[in-house]
Amino acid sequence: MSSENLDEKYKPKRIKDLVGQPNIQMKIEEWVNSPNPNLAIPHMLFAGPPGVGKTSAAMVLAQELFGKNWRDNFSRFNASNERGIEFIRVKIKQLTIMAPAAASFHIIFLDEADELTNQAQDALKEIMQENTETAKFIFACNNPEKIISPIQDRCFRVNFKPISDDLIVQRLMFICKNEGITYDEGALEILAQRALGSLRQAIILTTASVNRKNHIALENVGDETGTLEEWGAEKIVASALQGNVKEAERQFFNIYYENSIKYGKIFELILNKVDKMELDISIKEAIINETGLYDYRMCDPNVNVAVQVKCYVNSIARIGAKKQDSRDIEVL
């Protein structure tokens, strides 16, 4: 059983399936039931942390509006992968001039839109203005302040909140019942707390905790386990200090892309882990300085993330080579 499959299997397919966002549910219902959705539905900016339903809400809106044709009228892109001006001028521009399938408009969903370069955003604002009636844009982001003002001004902002632990537990109970998963008393509550308001993360953690007997034992979700991101952050540091930069780089991008955790949060997790690791104080200070430097560098929307991550893990590797023999640094 893979976490990805369970996460996909239990994605909301109807408005009532959205978890923990009642005001957003009401707004989507209002748009869907409008006599003229084309006039009622604006461009939108979905803002909030990962795993709280931004992508699901966009897909549910499309399914409710377009029915069986929803896939033909819903285009989804991850802007952290395609973030430059050519992506906007070629792919997005082409989509806006295509005729919708049995509908008056189609939806273009840009996930992680805060990763778009300023040049790309400038080009996009013109396309939005020219195609308001035939294409509705939905921007999903964790850091809305990185979206340029002209785009924000053209969008209706929808704020997604972290999901309460109680609601996460209810959803996990529903999933476990459907999947025949048993669990010790209190196990789901711990998993919900670990997820920090992210339902997606809670499902991933739940799946990772299921043993061969299809059971979640309390000892498998104890305080010492931490979240998947925390494990990954510690592995980044330990691997880089040992000189295994390829593994450190792989761990960084595993968190960044697969778990949708922003680099700023990854650096925060790394700093928290470094503070708790048994390392010489000079090594800790050096890692903290390098982490702060690269966190600052990656605030530039035009930066090449892949290059900066490679440079970062190599800088940590150099710290390990200079400060301490690699056999003294334990890898988990």
Side-chain angles (χ1 to χ4, degrees), residues 11-12 18-19 21 24 28 44-61 74 76 109-114 138-144 158-161 163 198 200 260 262:
K11 272 189 179 299
L18 293 172
V19 177
Q21 310 293 346
I24 296 169
I28 292 177
M44 287 171 266
L45 176 61
F46 285 3
V52 296
K54 298 188 296 296
T55 301
S56 294
M59 295 175 70
V60 163
L61 175 62
F74 181 82
R76 176 185 174 186
F109 180 72
L110 295 173
D111 199 7
E112 300 192 53
D114 41 347
I138 301 179
F139 303 89
C141 62
N142 305 139
N143 300 303
V158 182
N159 294 316
F160 287 73
K161 299 178 180 179
I163 301 171
S198 168
R200 180 176 63 232
S260 301
K262 294 296 185 181

Side-chain angles (χ1 to χ4, degrees), residues 114-126:
D114 41 347
E115 295 293 334
L116 288 169
T117 65
N118 285 345
Q119 274 189 321
Q121 293 188 47
D122 282 331
L124 190 53
K125 70 181 181 183
E126 304 298 333

Side-chain angles (χ1 to χ4, degrees), residues 1-42:
M1 178 171 54
S2 76
S3 58
E4 181 181 2
N5 289 338
L6 269 190
D7 186 37
E8 291 297 321
K9 182 176 180 179
Y10 289 97
K11 272 189 179 299
K13 295 178 174 60
R14 295 167 295 180
I15 297 174
K16 69 176 184 178
D17 295 333
L18 293 172
V19 177
Q21 310 293 346
N23 293 335
I24 296 169
Q25 284 178 302
M26 291 175 57
K27 197 64 184 177
I28 292 177
E29 286 180 348
E30 178 185 321
W31 285 329
V32 169
N33 296 323
S34 170
N36 192 341
N38 195 358
L39 293 177
I41 296 176

Side-chain angles (χ1 to χ4, degrees), residues 3-294:
S3 58
E4 181 181 2
N5 289 338
L6 269 190
D7 186 37
E8 291 297 321
K9 182 176 180 179
Y10 289 97
K11 272 189 179 299
K13 295 178 174 60
R14 295 167 295 180
I15 297 174
K16 69 176 184 178
D17 295 333
L18 293 172
V19 177
Q21 310 293 346
N23 293 335
I24 296 169
Q25 284 178 302
M26 291 175 57
K27 197 64 184 177
I28 292 177
E29 286 180 348
E30 178 185 321
W31 285 329
V32 169
N33 296 323
S34 170
N36 192 341
N38 195 358
L39 293 177
I41 296 176
H43 300 306
M44 287 171 266
L45 176 61
F46 285 3
V52 296
K54 298 188 296 296
T55 301
S56 294
M59 295 175 70
V60 163
L61 175 62
Q63 291 175 69
E64 295 280 3
L65 284 171
F66 307 128
K68 64 181 181 180
N69 295 317
W70 81 271
R71 294 185 186 277
D72 297 324
N73 294 311
F74 181 82
S75 299
R76 176 185 174 186
F77 298 95
N78 190 314
S80 66
N81 296 333
E82 300 182 87
R83 59 203 298 265
I85 192 170
E86 287 305 309
F87 161 63
I88 302 299
R89 287 176 173 171
V90 177
K91 289 189 178 181
I92 300 301
K93 180 66 175 178
Q94 184 178 17
L95 275 174
T96 59
I97 62 177
M98 292 175 60
S104 57
F105 65 95
H106 57 261
I107 295 174
I108 300 174
F109 180 72
L110 295 173
D111 199 7
E112 300 192 53
D114 41 347
E115 295 293 334
L116 288 169
T117 65
N118 285 345
Q119 274 189 321
Q121 293 188 47
D122 282 331
L124 190 53
K125 70 181 181 183
E126 304 298 333
I127 295 175
M128 292 172 63
Q129 189 170 359
E130 295 169 1
N131 300 277
T132 302
E133 294 187 0
T134 57
K136 305 295 182 180
F137 284 88
I138 301 179
F139 303 89
C141 62
N142 305 139
N143 300 303
E145 67 277 1
K146 294 179 70 174
I147 304 296
I148 62 174
S149 295
I151 287 183
Q152 292 196 44
D153 293 341
R154 289 173 168 83
C155 292
F156 178 83
R157 179 160 170 171
V158 182
N159 294 316
F160 287 73
K161 299 178 180 179
I163 301 171
S164 71
D165 289 353
D166 288 346
L167 289 177
I168 290 177
V169 169
Q170 289 178 25
R171 189 61 176 171
L172 294 182
M173 290 174 66
F174 171 78
I175 292 172
C176 287
K177 181 179 179 180
N178 281 2
E179 298 296 323
I181 299 170
T182 57
Y183 47 87
D184 289 345
E185 183 178 353
L188 299 188
E189 285 77 7
I190 293 176
L191 292 170
Q193 292 169 12
R194 290 282 142 68
L196 302 177
S198 168
L199 180 57
R200 180 176 63 232
Q201 180 66 21
I203 295 173
I204 292 173
L205 287 168
T206 298
T207 308
S209 303
V210 177
N211 62 25
R212 293 181 179 180
K213 296 181 180 180
N214 216 29
H215 180 78
I216 302 174
L218 195 59
E219 59 265 25
N220 290 339
V221 294
D223 290 342
E224 71 278 2
T225 58
T227 66
L228 297 181
E229 287 87 356
E230 289 172 335
W231 296 337
E234 188 162 357
K235 191 64 178 289
I236 290 169
V237 176
S239 297
L241 286 173
Q242 277 200 326
N244 191 351
V245 294
K246 288 188 180 295
E247 175 61 19
E249 189 177 346
R250 187 188 71 79
Q251 286 289 338
F252 195 105
F253 283 117
N254 180 58
I255 300 174
Y256 183 80
Y257 288 120
E258 294 186 17
N259 294 337
S260 301
I261 303 299
K262 294 296 185 181
Y263 52 78
K265 180 62 177 178
I266 297 175
F267 286 136
E268 180 183 334
L269 289 168
I270 288 173
L271 290 175
N272 288 338
K273 278 297 178 182
V274 166
D275 186 53
K276 298 174 183 177
M277 292 174 72
E278 295 183 3
L279 298 171
D280 184 85
I281 187 64
S282 62
I283 294 180
K284 289 188 178 184
E285 290 176 350
I287 294 174
I288 290 169
N289 289 336
E290 287 298 303
T291 303
L293 172 63
Y294 281 91

